[in-house]
Amino acid sequence: MEEFDSIIGMALAEEPLGRNELEVLLRADAGQAQLLFQAARSMRARCTGNLIYLRGLIEISNVCTRDCLYCGIRRSNFKAHRYTLDEDGIAAAARRAARLGYGSAVLQAGERRDESWVEMIGRAVRRIAAENGPDFGITLSLGGQSEETYRRWKAAGAHRYLLRIEEASPRLFAAVHPAGYSIAERRRALTALRKTGYQVGTGVMSALPGQNETDLAEDLLFFKSIDADMIGMGPYIPHPDTPLAREAGGWNPEKALFTGLKMIAVCRLLLRDVNIASTTALQSLSPDGRALGLQAGANVIMPNIGPDERKRDYLLYAGKPVTDEGTEAARKALESEALAAGAEIARGISGDPRHYLERLKQPGGDAELIHKKP
Ligand code: 5AD
């Protein structure tokens, strides 16, 4: 048997996959990728219940104190038009998500650590929890914070947190962040999130300048090493008003999309029962990018349901879609995408990752950690 086929066999038999095996899978050509995606779909069916969970994504502010070299809302992009939703705006968007049967919302913004921000988020989370009931999931994606801040937001009612490591390789991390940004700090923040009892999500960008399959395999092994519950990954897409765009000469959209899809599939085979998002970046590269993500083994979609007039300003990268996703028609479209990928859209349930639920059952798994609303 060919090496590739035999590694797919190992993965399906749930034998351990090391860096070499992961690299071979990540190097799949177009033909091999079909086998890879099929295996990932069958692993999803086996290990997640085969439901696709929707999370209403609310981009609450594009103000950011960070200056990441790839990101369109970096502090020194003076062309970005800055906005911040108020508490009423955030609460209204969350109600919209609940009304559409999305079961949970994700509050995402640039990174701010000042007290008035920390306070405002606490109030907004408390209000969303009160207005939508104890079963409505509240996820935060608000960057690196102190353990104390994570605790306050958790006490307010948040129970999931997404914090990408961006890239596990110190070399690449340093290449795409300004001097002084520390990967160790990100790791500490992820540890603090786990300690405070969140369901922890992380992820990386693929298709970065200078990144190879070894780096991507290391990223996947990093997810495993921190026992992540949720993964959100997407291909890097150059934004013209950022320094990294000048180094992205060899970048091409087809290749970036293909790499992004392979990362989802290999991640599914390695981590099995985690939640994996089919992200907006895939959709930006192709109108059916998100559907392709489901076909590669993802089980979460985060439709953007914030106010339309703001989507144009939350431009992390070029070509980010600004369509209204908070409608019945949009939900119906997602349902057909899920069916085409051999799965089904869940309605009105928050969709905890099975990985997290299993972890709680293990010796030392703390039942206290189960999300409890105040
Ligand atoms: N291309 C793709 N993803 C990006 N992000 C930021 N800028 C880009 C870009 N140019 C991702 C980062 C961040 C998330 C919110 O968006 O991974 O964590």
Side-chain angles (χ1 to χ4, degrees), residues 4 70 81 90 112 138-139 154 187 304 343 346 353 371:
F4 184 85
Y70 45 86
H81 173 246
I90 299 170
R112 272 178 66 180
I138 305 177
T139 305
K154 178 103 193 339
R187 285 169 172 267
N304 189 340
H371 110 253

Side-chain angles (χ1 to χ4, degrees), residues 14 16 18 46 55 71 80 91 103 126 128 135 137 144 150 165-166 180 224 240 242 250 292 295 331 342 362:
E14 303 190 12
R46 188 194 301 174
R55 284 83 175 78
C71 185
R126 230 172 241 113
I128 293 171
D135 294 333
Y150 288 146
I165 189 82
E166 306 298 355
K224 195 170 168 70
T242 58
L292 295 172
Q295 286 171 32
R331 201 179 45 74
Q362 280 159 20

Side-chain angles (χ1 to χ4, degrees), residues 127-143:
R127 185 156 155 199
I128 293 171
E131 288 181 351
N132 302 284
D135 294 333
F136 188 72
I138 305 177
T139 305
L140 302 180
S141 178
L142 303 169

Side-chain angles (χ1 to χ4, degrees), residues 77-89:
N77 180 10
F78 296 109
K79 292 195 193 161
H81 173 246
R82 306 288 167 171
Y83 75 91
T84 301
L85 298 187
D86 61 12
E87 219 185 290
D88 288 342

Side-chain angles (χ1 to χ4, degrees), residues 70-71 108 164 166 205 235-237 316-317:
Y70 45 86
C71 185
Q108 188 174 85
R164 290 187 177 180
E166 306 298 355
M205 287 178 289
Y236 162 68
I237 304 172
L316 302 172
Y317 38 80

